[in-house]
Amino acid sequence: MKGTIVATWLETSRKLWGDAVTASIMNKVGWPEDKIFRPLEDVEDAKVKQMIDAIAAATGKNISDIWQAIGRDNVTTFAKNYPSFFSNKNLYTFLASLYDVHVEIVKRISGAKPPELIMTPISDKEAIFTYRSQRGMFDYFQGLLKGSAERFKENLKIDVLEKSTGFLKLKLAFQEPIVREKTYSLNKWL
């Protein structure tokens, strides 16, 4: 994991469970309480797992609920830190743009391994959303979906169609019709 995302998760932990719980968790993982993660810093997946396990133990919640809470809240943090990513017109256009965002991340950050997110419309209000990742962080991803729906103030119905190691296929039903705009240079010129 890159330092940017781990720092975001710790910021969310402070917001949801407090500074004392987060400081305790950081100590259990072996990080100083005032550690500042560099954006390109590599953080071992095992340390992240240890961090989530410690949060679950400290809060009395299960790991799935912790990841979903972090995902849901991270949308607010990402919107604050990266407002241009949230300038889309609706939930569908935002989610459909995530593939392009992740392609840019891979190009710009050496060693980054974000999940592959592909949106395929199947009707005027439904789409299939596939998630592929070696890490299989399905609960976090579903928390992000719910947080995104809240951010765009839209109802989103999520049905799991297929789930296996590192792969999740969802059917999403949107409140608003799916609209994809495409601008052609020739039309602009005319």
Side-chain angles (χ1 to χ4, degrees):
M1 303 278 174
K2 291 298 179 184
T4 300
I5 191 71
V6 176
T8 302
W9 292 340
L10 287 167
E11 183 179 336
T12 295
S13 176
R14 285 184 187 92
K15 188 188 319 180
L16 296 178
W17 300 294
D19 290 331
V21 169
T22 304
S24 168
I25 289 159
M26 291 181 75
N27 286 328
K28 285 180 184 173
V29 174
W31 297 324
E33 294 174 27
D34 60 348
K35 178 168 177 51
I36 296 173
F37 290 90
R38 296 180 322 269
L40 302 179
E41 179 179 350
D42 286 315
V43 179
E44 297 172 37
D45 288 359
K47 289 277 190 185
V48 172
K49 182 184 180 326
Q50 190 179 358
M51 176 183 83
I52 297 301
D53 289 346
I55 293 171
T59 62
K61 297 179 183 232
N62 68 46
I63 291 170
S64 174
D65 290 341
I66 297 297
W67 272 124
Q68 286 200 28
I70 289 173
R72 185 179 232 146
D73 188 76
N74 275 182
V75 172
T76 303
T77 305
F78 291 142
K80 181 180 81 177
N81 295 339
Y82 310 104
S84 63
F85 292 146
F86 290 83
S87 61
N88 293 289
K89 294 180 181 172
N90 62 31
L91 179 59
Y92 172 80
T93 57
F94 169 71
L95 294 175
S97 73
L98 292 178
Y99 176 80
D100 296 328
V101 169
H102 284 174
V103 167
E104 288 302 313
I105 289 170
V106 170
K107 284 181 189 176
R108 294 175 187 220
I109 301 175
S110 176
K113 297 176 190 163
E116 178 184 61
L117 303 168
I118 300 174
M119 180 81 73
T120 308
I122 58 172
S123 75
D124 66 332
K125 288 192 176 186
E126 295 178 322
I128 301 296
F129 202 15
T130 57
Y131 167 97
R132 286 185 216 290
S133 173
Q134 297 169 352
R135 294 183 177 108
M137 297 173 63
F138 303 126
D139 296 318
Y140 175 68
F141 174 63
Q142 288 183 312
L144 285 170
L145 285 177
K146 291 173 186 170
S148 298
E150 291 167 3
R151 173 86 184 158
F152 286 93
K153 297 176 178 59
E154 290 186 34
N155 292 322
L156 178 67
K157 185 173 181 250
I158 303 169
D159 293 317
V160 177
L161 300 178
E162 189 179 334
K163 186 176 180 180
S164 62
T165 305
F167 179 80
L168 180 64
K169 186 177 190 178
L170 304 172
K171 181 179 175 185
L172 304 180
F174 296 90
Q175 174 183 330
E176 301 294 323
I178 294 172
V179 178
R180 298 183 80 184
E181 290 183 13
K182 190 159 186 159
T183 305
Y184 295 93
S185 300
L186 180 61
N187 289 354
K188 278 184 150 182
W189 182 76
L190 292 173

